[in-house]
Amino acid sequence: MIFKTLMADIDAVLVRDPAAKSRFDVVFSYPGFHALVFYRLSHRLWGWGAHFFARWISHLARWLTGIEIHPGATIGQRFFIDHGMGVVIGETAEIGDDVTLYQGVTLGGTSLHGGKRHPTLADGVVVGAGAQVLGPLMVGKGARIGANAVVLHDVPDGVTMVGIPARPVQPKPKVVDSDADSGKAVPLEFCAYGTQNGDMPDPVARAIDQLCEQVTASQKRIEELERRLARDEAGDAAGDEAPRVAKN
Ligand SMILES: CC(C)(COP(=O)(O)OP(=O)(O)OC[C@H]1O[C@@H](n2cnc3c(N)ncnc32)[C@H](O)[C@@H]1OP(=O)(O)O)[C@@H](O)C(=O)NCCC(=O)NCCS
């Protein structure tokens, strides 16, 4: 059974990595495959309650491959970790069939309580290099997570997420006109510096945008208050004038 599972894991590498030339290549030169062999063994031991030995084998695998898979994690068939260095898969992570991870991916937790605290990846998910998928969230079937994205919420089936925090990839802007001189297509919306609808996945730029919005709102409020004050002062001055005119 475990032999059959490992053969399917090897064939998955051949299908998904154009650099893989043969089964020998995968067996001897793929750290992702080595980590998986250790995981399949340690997961068995974990299931039998031999927690110490399971953890020790997982630690040995990490030492040899740079990939840390907790033996309590659940991993489906034909799983492929390409390159692998820096991958961390937490204890309560659940991974479906035909899932692919690249180097530097974390399937991590965001809380210290002992229950389900790591993500669930449905069948066919691809997670790009350096992406962090954090918390007990669900990544739907066939979804793709872009390199270096930070995913903090559920991802629907088939959706591609990019950026920090991760957001769905927007459809390309519609072409509505062509340039009179060059005849080239002109997009419907102007996108400064080519960023997607100005929604740049940069937390510093986003914080600055928010500060600018707050300053503009405060300025408007101050102007409004000054106008009211001026109106009130003008009203008071008119009130003082009225009795003097009446006496004369
Ligand atoms: C997310 C990903 C799957 C999208 O691929 P795709 O469907 O071909 O999408 P596109 O390349 O057309 O990009 C769509 C938009 O998302 C943006 N985008 C793509 N990947 C991104 C990323 N990782 N971070 C931020 N933005 C990204 C593109 O700039 C593009 O924006 P635009 O519409 O404003 O031009 C792919 O870019 C990716 O990151 N794959 C991981 C690959 C990887 O880790 N390889 C490691 C090999 S060692």
Side-chain angles (χ1 to χ4, degrees):
M1 174 64 184
I2 203 162
F3 180 74
K4 231 176 159 185
T5 305
L6 289 175
M7 285 304 280
D9 290 333
I10 294 170
D11 289 343
V13 179
L14 289 172
V15 170
R16 278 178 250 163
D17 183 7
K21 303 296 179 221
S22 68
R23 282 178 174 159
F24 277 108
D25 205 7
V26 177
V27 170
F28 289 103
S29 317
Y30 274 71
F33 176 69
H34 301 155
L36 200 53
V37 173
F38 281 108
Y39 161 77
R40 301 252 183 245
L41 181 62
S42 68
H43 185 62
R44 277 268 159 106
L45 292 170
W46 188 264
W48 292 336
H51 290 174
F52 172 80
F53 288 110
R55 281 308 297 264
W56 186 77
I57 287 172
S58 140
H59 175 68
L60 189 66
R62 177 182 175 275
W63 193 62
L64 293 171
T65 64
I67 297 168
E68 183 175 331
I69 308 177
H70 194 286
T74 308
I75 298 181
Q77 304 288 308
R78 299 174 298 279
F79 180 52
F80 176 36
I81 303 175
D82 202 0
H83 307 292
M85 184 62 81
V87 166
V88 176
I89 299 175
E91 180 186 1
T92 60
E94 293 166 81
I95 297 175
D97 296 333
D98 303 298
V99 169
T100 308
L101 309 185
Y102 289 93
Q103 69 274 18
V105 167
T106 304
L107 304 183
T110 49
S111 83
L112 296 179
H113 79 83
K116 170 78 174 162
R117 60 194 186 283
H118 300 103
T120 299
L121 272 49
D123 298 346
V125 167
V126 177
V127 186
Q132 313 294 306
V133 186
L134 305 174
L137 54 87
M138 176 76 195
V139 180
K141 273 188 188 174
R144 295 182 306 162
I145 310 299
N148 287 324
V150 177
V151 181
L152 301 167
H153 301 290
D154 287 354
V155 178
D157 291 356
V159 166
T160 299
M161 303 288 286
V162 298
I164 304 173
R167 56 179 169 73
V169 167
Q170 302 288 319
K172 300 272 182 217
K174 283 182 200 151
V175 173
V176 291
D177 207 352
S178 58
D179 186 273
D181 296 327
S182 65
K184 281 185 185 162
V186 176
L188 179 66
E189 294 171 58
F190 170 69
C191 302
Y193 308 119
T195 56
Q196 206 167 273
N197 301 328
D199 193 9
M200 200 162 66
D202 177 347
V204 177
R206 222 170 260 180
I208 291 172
D209 282 350
Q210 281 171 355
L211 282 173
C212 288
E213 277 169 24
Q214 276 175 9
V215 168
T216 311
S218 302
Q219 245 167 0
K220 276 189 187 159
R221 182 98 183 106
I222 290 168
E223 282 167 13
E224 174 62 28
L225 288 171
E226 279 177 347
R227 260 198 302 274
R228 272 194 213 169
L229 197 66
R231 239 182 285 139
D232 288 351
E233 280 173 357
D236 287 350
D240 289 347
E241 282 295 312
R244 236 180 287 153
V245 172
K247 265 184 214 165
N248 294 339

